[in-house]
Amino acid sequence: SPTPTTAWYKDGQRLAGTKVSPGGLGEVWAKLHIPCVTPSTAGLYECRGVVGGVKTVVVETRVEVLELVPHKECTYTDRQEVQPTITGWFSNIMVQAGETARLVCDLENDSKKKSIQWRDAAGNILKNKGRYQLKGTDLLIHKTDWMDMGRFTCTASNGFGVDMVSTFLYPIRPAF
């Protein structure tokens, strides 16, 4: 089956995770980042995996706030001056050679005050050039071939910090 999309929800509202499937087969991650726990944090959270918009798998967890102890992160969160957090990505993707691979790098609080940079396995910075296309925070590689195999890294940064994830791309031979 195709690679699912995975996201975290609270009270039916999407909080974090992937928004699109990259095509092909792969391993998906969704990270929920709660930098400041308050009484409003309490509730029922769901991690949903959806395959092809049809099959859904849900895992629930309940968060209870028993004792509130202020934490230094809370003062930064109140002002929205925080480092970027990558909340959705694919650690491995297998696509047929010749197809387009979408390497996802979804961010929490996707504001304009951040810089996104993609690098290939050799550490070269990738730009909108040739077969590479930067679409929002994602990297699209058109007409993938065996030479594309390797680890691609997404780095999100701003004046408050850095977060990075990587995706291993494995182009597979088309079936005959």
Side-chain angles (χ1 to χ4, degrees), residues 23-132:
L25 302 173
E27 183 179 14
V28 62
W29 289 85
K31 175 173 64 174
L32 179 60
H33 180 241
I34 304 174
C36 181
V37 175
T38 65
S40 66
T41 306
L44 184 65
Y45 291 79
E46 298 176 337
C47 183
R48 297 182 197 165
V50 180
V51 177
V54 179
K55 185 176 181 183
T56 303
V57 176
V58 178
V59 176
E60 296 178 342
T61 188
R62 179 165 296 283
V63 174
E64 296 180 7
V65 180
L66 302 176
E67 182 179 341
L68 188 60
V69 178
H71 189 272
K72 67 178 183 171
E73 291 279 328
C74 292
T75 58
Y76 296 116
T77 304
D78 293 341
R79 296 187 315 223
Q80 297 299 315
E81 297 172 349
V82 296
Q83 74 180 44
T85 300
I86 300 170
T87 61
W89 70 98
F90 300 98
S91 59
N92 297 295
I93 297 176
M94 291 185 288
V95 296
Q96 284 192 355
E99 298 293 328
T100 296
R102 181 182 201 118
L103 283 59
V104 173
C105 187
D106 287 325
L107 291 173
E108 176 181 70
N109 298 330
D110 195 9
S111 70
K112 294 181 179 15
K113 295 182 180 180
K114 52 121 177 45
S115 170
I116 296 293
Q117 199 171 67
W118 278 95
R119 293 181 183 265
D120 63 14
N124 300 314
I125 297 171
L126 301 174
K127 306 274 186 198
N128 268 324
K129 185 178 178 185
R131 296 180 305 112
Y132 298 113

Side-chain angles (χ1 to χ4, degrees), residues 134-145:
L134 301 173
K135 189 169 185 179
T137 57
D138 298 348
L139 172 65
L140 278 68
I141 304 173
H142 301 285
K143 299 180 182 175
T144 57
D145 64 27

